Amino acid sequence: GGTLLTTILHGAENNPDRHGPGRDYIACLDMVLHHGVALPRAVIEQVGADDLRAFLTEWAEDHPGQVV
């Protein structure tokens, strides 16, 4: 019931093998955001993983028009 963005974040935070080969969640987030997926500010605040939250915070600062 989520969006593409929240599905990526859910996998990044809940996949027990999230740091395995071929699992670059930041690259996935970067790809969908570059394609114009909206970034809800509330999602940034809910992300538990420090690296993901930092990436999304920086993206929001660099692309304020994409933040909803």
Side-chain angles (χ1 to χ4, degrees), residues 19-64:
H19 299 295
R23 292 172 178 86
D24 188 345
Y25 292 100
I26 289 180
C28 292
L29 291 169
D30 187 58
M31 184 183 317
V32 300
L33 290 168
H34 268 100
H35 281 283
V37 170
L39 176 56
R41 185 162 304 282
V43 167
I44 300 169
E45 298 166 2
Q46 296 170 357
V47 173
D50 292 338
D51 59 338
L52 299 175
R53 190 173 47 257
F55 171 79
L56 293 175
T57 299
E58 185 175 331
W59 181 274
E61 291 170 0
D62 293 343
H63 305 88

